[in-house]
Amino acid sequence: MKKNVISLVFVLIIFSLHGQTVQKNQIVQTNQYIKTWHLTSPFGIADSIPVDTVPLDFQDGNPIDRFSIANSYNGNIGSPIQSKLYFDRPAATDFIFSAAYFPYLMNLAHATFYNTKTPYSNLNYTTGGSTYRDEDNIKFLFTANANQKLNFGTTLDYIYSPGEYSNQAVQRFSGSLFGSYNGKHYNATGLISTNNLSNYENGGLQNTADGINPFNISPKDIPVNITGYSNYKYNLLIYNHQYTIGFDRPIRINLDSVRMEYVPVTRFTHTFKLEDIHKRYYENSLEKSFYTNTYGTAAFTNDTASLQTMTNNFSISMDEEFNKLMKFGLTAFIENEIQRYGYTQDSLFTSKLKSNTKVGGVLSKQRGQRFKYNILGEITLLGFKTGDFQFKGNVEGNFKLWKDSISLVANGFVRSDQPSMFLQQYESNHFKWMNNFNKTYRTSVGGTFAIPTRLLKLNVSIENITQLIYFDDKALPKQYSGNVQVLAGNLRKDFVFGKFGLENNVVYQISSQPGILPLPSWALYNNLYFKDLWFNVLTVQLGVNLRYQSSYYAPAYMPATGQFYNQSNILIGNYPMMNAYANFHLKQTRFFLQYYHVNQLFMKGNYYSMPGYPLNPAIFEMGLSWNFYN
């Protein structure tokens, strides 16, 4: 298979050399033909993002490396994952089983919307592994405009990853249909996505006290604890549409002509969202020796949990142009959600229907370059989450200091959250709990100082959590009655010396209660590379990157519930992981070759990601991304 992939790469290189001529400043030109954005809120606010054609560091484009510089996961791509950096973890959701799959999901947070002057397609393929256990990921994107106002497109993403160790194979499919309409008065954005991720559960390696591979056998032959199976499904339908009322104002082009520009003043927005989520854990035969308890009488395990949520958000916004004296925007909204929780109880599937209604408002200023802010407040008035509230905001300032651009951002929030119904009550074949947890209160403040012209960015964040819910050493949910504080500093500084570059990301974090919320004190990412332009067409990046985190009692992973739980027996970390790579960018094609975990060939150490789950050993990887503009 490797020979076929290498042959394909060289064929594509030759084809690109004789293909459509693209100027040296292709990246700039590409941005002129394609506009991309995310939706950042239920009010349909678009946040512009750059087109993903940057030639550097293509080898780090997989979901794991993009998620965080330090992660706990089962070893192979697609497996359950948790960031070791507290402020990189996604916000908790009502379906507690979703957190372990967050980086792999096509949801609103990961959806990109387009407006193109020409049809745009992208084919992306990566593969790697030993001669007998490849990890393949193929992605496809197509988008086109029917006219200046209407865009549509589709994405496909498939992962097949057997893994280097026994009983850890992953198969994942994600697909979406998306579209947008940008008219003078009416605008709409829609997304339909499906996610189906299946992974075997091996419970980790046996005899971890003896090292990862003491007998130097093939990794796939190392004994593991169990043979289980998990399946996670997430389907999403979201439609955001708005109607604006405004006025036309003249804009002078030159001394002889003007053009009319439409200025929206009042915006009426409705967002409809429907989510359907399922999680299943299956054992063909009971794994009684691995689990402390087995409650069912059947000869197998088949645990199921589900959550369906229908959300409607209605808002009225006064844009910044509505008030000539005080330039700010105002939004008032009301949101209702109806949820159906389901899980297996006494061998029967049971469900409960819940509803919540909240109201809120937003004060914002997003126009202009020097000063921006966004302040949101909301409270739940009806439903089982009554009393939940959130008040959050961010303020951004940009200014010039001599020849440098300075950016200062302050953000923070205060919020109260009702625990998920699955934390309060849940039953399965190996776990049962009935709790009466109180609301969790969080207060967070942070700030970012950046000098883009100096490739410098420093973020400092602190959060206080009252009555934090965590999973204890028995993998059961528990609430800590006191306060837990987390302080983190995240420094990014890059250096460029002629054709050489050095990227640096250092994170320092402290948990006031490491027995409740364990975190590594240090996490590092360093990337040293050489970059050059060969033959006036081929951009080349040759480099080595390194990831490292200090040792700590990393949470373990519980296959039956898909949760990460505390343990105090095994220290994880204090081991560098290095990759050697070569990146190439030729016209519309990017491709890379990489030796992943190359230092495992000459270094000794227990390279565990978390207790029982090692990183992949040294393997060869390659990838290709091909853009089409026609």
Side-chain angles (χ1 to χ4, degrees):
M1 178 178 180
K2 290 292 187 298
K3 292 182 180 179
N4 293 335
V5 174
I6 293 173
S7 299
L8 175 62
V9 171
F10 284 106
V11 169
L12 291 173
I13 294 172
I14 295 172
F15 182 85
S16 296
L17 285 171
H18 294 278
Q20 178 183 354
T21 301
V22 181
Q23 301 298 322
K24 294 180 183 179
N25 58 344
Q26 175 194 359
I27 296 175
V28 177
Q29 292 183 343
T30 298
N31 290 336
Q32 294 176 355
Y33 288 94
I34 302 174
K35 295 181 180 179
T36 57
W37 69 90
H38 289 313
L39 285 185
T40 59
S41 75
F43 317 121
I45 299 174
D47 184 15
S48 298
I49 58 174
V51 179
D52 185 16
T53 55
V54 178
L56 293 181
D57 300 333
F58 177 43
Q59 80 286 346
D60 286 339
N62 64 78
I64 294 174
D65 291 333
R66 292 172 71 100
F67 184 42
S68 179
I69 64 171
N71 299 298
S72 295
Y73 60 106
N74 293 17
N76 53 327
I77 186 173
S79 61
I81 185 172
Q82 182 187 59
S83 174
K84 298 181 180 183
L85 307 183
Y86 176 79
F87 289 101
D88 281 354
R89 295 176 183 176
T93 66
D94 290 324
F95 198 68
I96 63 174
F97 312 98
S98 292
Y101 300 104
F102 177 79
Y104 310 111
L105 301 181
M106 171 51 73
N107 53 19
L108 186 61
H110 296 146
T112 302
F113 299 94
Y114 297 81
N115 189 289
T116 69
K117 293 183 178 180
T118 180
Y120 170 62
S121 302
N122 174 262
L123 179 64
N124 189 301
Y125 175 67
T126 60
T127 186
S130 56
T131 56
Y132 49 86
R133 300 178 77 83
D134 284 331
E135 294 186 0
D136 296 322
N137 182 198
I138 184 168
K139 295 186 287 186
F140 175 74
L141 162 71
F142 170 78
T143 183
N145 270 54
N147 50 50
Q148 290 184 350
K149 299 178 181 180
L150 178 63
N151 174 272
F152 60 90
T154 184
T155 64
L156 300 173
D157 193 340
Y158 177 75
I159 292 175
Y160 180 68
S161 172
E164 296 296 312
Y165 306 97
S166 177
N167 298 334
Q168 64 168 175
V170 172
Q171 182 170 302
R172 172 256 195 174
F173 172 79
S174 172
S176 73
L177 297 172
F178 61 87
S180 61
Y181 177 84
N182 296 291
K184 180 177 180 180
H185 294 281
Y186 184 77
N187 296 277
T189 304
L191 172 69
I192 301 174
S193 71
T194 183
N195 301 266
N196 191 332
L197 197 152
S198 300
N199 64 283
Y200 282 94
E201 306 277 12
N202 62 21
L205 304 185
Q206 295 182 4
N207 305 318
T208 55
D210 298 329
I212 294 174
N213 195 355
F215 302 107
N216 197 28
I217 59 178
S218 173
K220 67 182 179 63
D221 296 325
I222 301 175
V224 295
N225 286 307
I226 63 172
T227 303
Y229 174 84
S230 289
N231 176 255
Y232 176 88
K233 295 180 179 180
Y234 175 77
N235 298 313
L236 170 68
L237 166 63
I238 186 166
Y239 186 69
N240 172 278
H241 58 136
Q242 49 192 249
Y243 185 83
T244 63
I245 300 174
F247 61 90
D248 293 311
R249 67 180 176 188
I251 302 294
R252 182 166 295 279
I253 300 175
N254 51 49
L255 293 175
D256 300 321
S257 62
V258 296
R259 65 177 176 86
M260 301 304 293
E261 179 186 57
Y262 176 69
V263 179
V265 175
T266 305
R267 191 182 308 269
F268 301 89
T269 303
H270 169 233
T271 300
F272 173 79
K273 182 168 67 172
L274 184 64
E275 296 175 289
D276 183 23
I277 321 176
H278 295 263
K279 174 68 164 65
R280 179 192 180 210
Y281 174 72
Y282 179 79
E283 295 168 353
N284 188 44
S285 58
L286 294 180
E287 301 285 356
K288 292 186 177 182
S289 60
F290 182 77
Y291 295 103
T292 303
N293 300 301
T294 300
Y295 298 102
T297 57
F300 59 90
T301 295
N302 190 13
D303 301 332
T304 302
S306 66
L307 175 64
Q308 292 82 39
T309 304
M310 182 175 68
T311 306
N312 282 281
N313 183 291
F314 299 89
S315 65
I316 301 176
S317 302
M318 303 293 290
D319 281 9
E320 295 176 32
E321 296 288 346
F322 89 100
N323 190 332
K324 294 183 178 181
L325 297 178
M326 301 185 67
K327 300 291 186 179
F328 58 83
L330 284 173
T331 299
F333 68 90
I334 181 170
E335 180 176 292
N336 174 262
E337 67 175 6
I338 301 173
Q339 297 180 303
R340 183 183 296 275
Y341 294 81
Y343 59 90
T344 304
Q345 186 176 25
D346 297 327
S347 300
L348 298 174
F349 187 80
T350 183
S351 63
K352 297 179 180 180
L353 195 65
K354 300 289 183 179
S355 177
N356 299 285
T357 301
K358 64 182 178 182
V359 297
V362 179
L363 175 68
S364 63
K365 180 183 182 300
Q366 298 301 317
R367 297 181 185 272
Q369 296 297 323
R370 290 184 177 273
F371 182 68
K372 300 178 182 179
Y373 61 83
N374 191 83
I375 301 171
L376 177 145
E378 63 182 29
I379 185 170
T380 302
L381 300 178
L382 299 172
F384 83 100
K385 296 181 183 178
T386 297
D388 280 13
F389 66 86
Q390 178 179 206
F391 183 79
K392 68 176 182 179
N394 63 77
V395 180
E396 177 182 352
N398 298 280
F399 58 92
K400 287 280 189 178
L401 183 62
W402 293 291
K403 295 182 179 180
D404 292 322
S405 299
I406 308 296
S407 174
L408 293 173
V409 179
N411 56 73
F413 66 79
V414 178
R415 60 183 300 161
S416 169
D417 296 304
Q418 178 70 21
S420 164
M421 291 292 295
F422 291 107
L423 292 173
Q424 302 283 28
Q425 183 177 350
Y426 179 69
E427 290 189 17
S428 64
N429 202 24
H430 297 297
F431 289 91
K432 285 185 180 183
W433 57 72
M434 178 73 73
N435 299 308
N436 187 24
F437 291 143
N438 297 317
K439 293 180 183 292
T440 298
Y441 297 88
R442 299 175 185 269
T443 303
S444 178
V445 293
T448 301
F449 170 78
I451 309 178
T453 51
R454 301 288 180 177
L455 304 177
L456 172 66
K457 185 176 182 180
L458 172 64
N459 175 269
V460 178
S461 300
I462 184 170
E463 185 168 321
N464 179 81
I465 311 108
T466 303
Q467 303 197 68
L468 171 69
I469 298 174
Y470 65 100
F471 283 80
D472 63 15
D473 57 1
K474 297 181 176 61
L476 295 171
K478 189 174 181 180
Q479 188 164 49
Y480 180 63
S481 59
N483 296 323
V484 179
Q485 291 87 31
V486 180
L487 171 66
N490 188 330
L491 174 64
R492 298 183 182 183
K493 178 67 177 85
D494 299 342
F495 299 92
V496 177
F497 309 98
K499 296 181 180 181
F500 291 88
L502 177 61
E503 299 174 352
N504 303 279
N505 189 182
V506 181
V507 177
Y508 177 70
Q509 55 186 3
I510 303 174
S511 171
S512 65
Q513 299 291 337
I516 305 299
L517 181 58
L519 299 169
S521 298
W522 292 96
L524 310 175
Y525 171 79
N526 303 101
N527 182 26
L528 176 64
Y529 63 86
F530 167 83
K531 179 189 173 186
D532 198 7
L533 183 66
W534 293 354
F535 315 113
N536 293 321
V537 293
L538 181 64
T539 301
V540 178
Q541 181 193 17
L542 308 175
V544 177
N545 60 39
L546 177 146
R547 290 172 173 83
Y548 169 88
Q549 107 263 329
S550 56
S551 63
Y552 76 118
Y553 291 105
Y557 171 71
M558 178 50 64
T561 59
Q563 304 302 312
F564 296 86
Y565 67 96
N566 292 350
Q567 59 87 29
S568 57
N569 298 318
I570 302 174
L571 285 170
I572 298 295
N574 197 28
Y575 178 87
M577 201 275 288
M578 300 173 59
N579 303 322
Y581 64 88
N583 271 324
F584 304 92
H585 187 192
L586 180 63
K587 297 184 178 181
Q588 296 160 248
T589 306
R590 293 180 293 167
F591 55 98
F592 76 87
L593 307 172
Q594 175 172 253
Y595 216 124
Y596 170 89
H597 198 178
V598 64
N599 57 304
Q600 189 260 339
L601 299 174
F602 54 83
M603 282 186 62
K604 293 183 178 180
N606 285 332
Y607 42 90
Y608 283 102
S609 166
M610 57 184 173
Y613 294 90
L615 299 168
N616 280 339
I619 56 176
F620 180 73
E621 299 177 338
M622 62 179 66
L624 167 72
S625 178
W626 198 358
N627 294 323
F628 303 86
Y629 304 100
N630 50 54

